Amino acid sequence: MDLMALDWVSSCTMKHWGGEIKTKICRAFEVRSLHIPVYDRTPFEDLVTFVEKTVKAEYDSSPHKPIYLVGDSFGGCLALAVAARNPTVDLVVLLVNPATSFGRSQLQPLLPLLEAMPDGLHFTVPYLLSFIMGDPVKMATINIDNMLPPRVALEQLSTNLTSLLPRLSGLADIIPRETLLWKLKLLKSAASYANSRLHAVKAEVLVLASGKDNMLPSHDEARRLTNSLKNCRVRYFKDNGHTLLLEDGINLLTIIKGTHTYRRRRRHDYVLDFLPPSMSEYKTAFNQVVGLVRTASSSVLFSTLEDGKIVRGLSGVPSEGPVLLVGYHMLMGLELFSLVEEFLREKNIIVRGIAHPMLFSSKTEDLSSEFGLIDWVKVFGAVPVAGSNLFKLLSTKSHVVLYPGGAREANHNKGEEYKLFWPDQPEFVRMAARFGATIVPFGTVGEDDITNMILDNNEVMKIPFVGDYIKKYSRDNIRVRENEAVSVPVLLPRIPGRFYYLFGKPIETRGRYESLKDRENANELYLQVKSGVENCIAYLLKKREEDPYRNIVDRTVHRALHSPLHEIPTFEP
């Protein structure tokens, strides 16, 4: 698949931008960057024609694969213009603070200012531009590992900031006044051209908008483009400036994966189009995104060997798939993060989660949708609950985690902790047997150790206006079960206890497909799995009372003096 990066800024910035793209994205795409030399005076329509020829050539060679156009600022106008002129080509357009908003931007007043400015003062213009383009500190921290000691990180930040100064002072030589005037006029014509053809854009569009863009009104422009384009979504980055892709914490490939924008054919396939998370994504997700929950819960995992012995760790869970992990969904699904992390850390296995389809619906997105937890769940391989998705995952010998209790369990009411709300149909048992998958029942406890439920779902629904809104919202969204209401209980944190997991004895289904076609046999195995989950929960509720490190204070002291988070001692199984 091709990814073409389009931008208009100086040679220095373009080189940096292209380098960032190649290091993060070339493992998924064949990357091409458009470079416009400083003294080039090609009119906008000729630039469109130039890019268009390349796009058509790639489309002719691979007509069944999408072509990605990444348009940053000016490049956004260029990408939209190419998309408008080629509605039959399968294009995915990624717009990064697109300059289609030039008419309402801070750049407009620069035109008369530059024309009247004496030559001797032109050296001040690059400093003015740098002030409104982006946050230099975020740009300087882009290659600093957040796991470095504070002193080392500070030294590296100082070095990076210092190295930016000579580049900044040299911009006046790289971009003479006449060149900058030409670029601004080119930008004005590009915005006008692209805006007049938005109605013709049929491509899939993802807009990345910065909240602190001092150059363009990018957030408002994202709203306008969403209303003007037929197939447009938005991700908002409230703390970033205009040079979004050059700033620390922004990984374009992660955004593409987390929004399910990556696909190999005309339509996205949740299973076949999955790209495993990288080490940097692993660190970001578990150290920053869910770092607080991870540290507070200090999860400990146990598994059961074939002889019934319970051991700490995951050695009792088969490493060869297909494996179906069937368990209890704790409040708000908080147990999922540590489960996924430990399988990656200990067994180097990516566990694919079966999640509520509402997490994948465009109805849950709005113009202020930030790239957040739901997107990270997708980065790590979650798929919507559907028989076809479970079929594909098991056929590819994956490790799959399934919660038969679903949203009902994850949003349970007061007094319903650790109770299973499973449906009557044993369909997952037959599906597992079809592929000879090993079923591993598991239980988790600990939600009551970190939260106090002030109002449960039933109580929230009784609040005037709130209950009516929730009912309407639930009717308008995808539901897995009839009369399913999507609500969020009111919670308060408490002094954190600990999360505990126990994976029961594996249950083989290989060679049992024919016998499990019989409803009675299938139901018997289904009840066996359910009983296994309940037994795991009962065991953990009893044994956690013996844990000398159940309290967060004891765990914190031990961690500081002795061992990392996953090695803090616990009860003897």
Side-chain angles (χ1 to χ4, degrees), residues 259-436:
T259 55
H260 280 163
T261 307
Y262 181 80
R263 53 185 173 85
R264 294 179 173 88
R265 290 291 184 268
R266 179 68 66 170
R267 298 185 62 181
H268 176 81
D269 188 298
Y270 292 106
V271 176
L272 301 180
D273 287 331
F274 173 65
L275 293 175
S278 65
M279 182 55 69
S280 65
E281 289 169 336
Y282 172 87
K283 290 180 178 178
T284 299
F286 293 110
N287 293 331
Q288 299 179 30
V289 180
V290 296
L292 184 61
V293 173
R294 175 176 174 264
T295 302
S297 60
S298 305
S299 301
V300 56
L301 286 77
F302 299 90
S303 60
T304 309
L305 304 180
E306 290 188 4
D307 61 3
K309 182 181 179 181
I310 297 175
V311 296
R312 183 169 182 176
L314 298 172
S315 57
V317 179
S319 297
E320 295 296 323
V323 173
L324 187 60
L325 308 170
V326 183
Y328 165 71
H329 220 357
M330 286 205 308
L331 189 66
M332 308 304 293
L334 295 176
E335 81 290 341
L336 189 58
F337 308 119
S338 292
L339 186 153
V340 171
E341 181 187 14
E342 286 304 304
F343 268 88
L344 274 168
R345 187 191 61 80
E346 185 176 332
K347 300 178 80 72
N348 197 28
I349 289 174
I350 297 173
V351 175
R352 306 293 302 275
I354 303 290
H356 197 287
M358 187 178 66
L359 299 181
F360 305 86
S361 172
S362 59
K363 293 181 180 180
T364 61
E365 300 180 2
D366 56 40
L367 297 173
S368 297
S369 291
E370 297 183 40
F371 191 89
L373 185 59
I374 292 178
D375 295 309
W376 278 103
V377 168
K378 299 172 189 175
V379 170
F380 279 80
V383 303
V385 57
S388 58
N389 287 331
L390 181 58
F391 181 97
K392 290 179 183 177
L393 287 171
L394 294 179
S395 67
T396 55
K397 298 186 177 181
S398 301
H399 283 63
V400 185
V401 60
L402 175 68
Y403 296 104
R408 178 64 182 87
E409 255 174 29
N411 286 309
H412 60 249
N413 298 310
K414 293 177 181 177
E416 294 178 343
E417 298 86 354
Y418 309 119
K419 292 183 179 179
L420 304 188
F421 294 91
W422 288 20
D424 296 330
Q425 298 81 6
E427 297 307 319
F428 74 80
V429 168
R430 294 193 184 97
M431 185 75 77
R434 182 184 185 116
F435 296 97

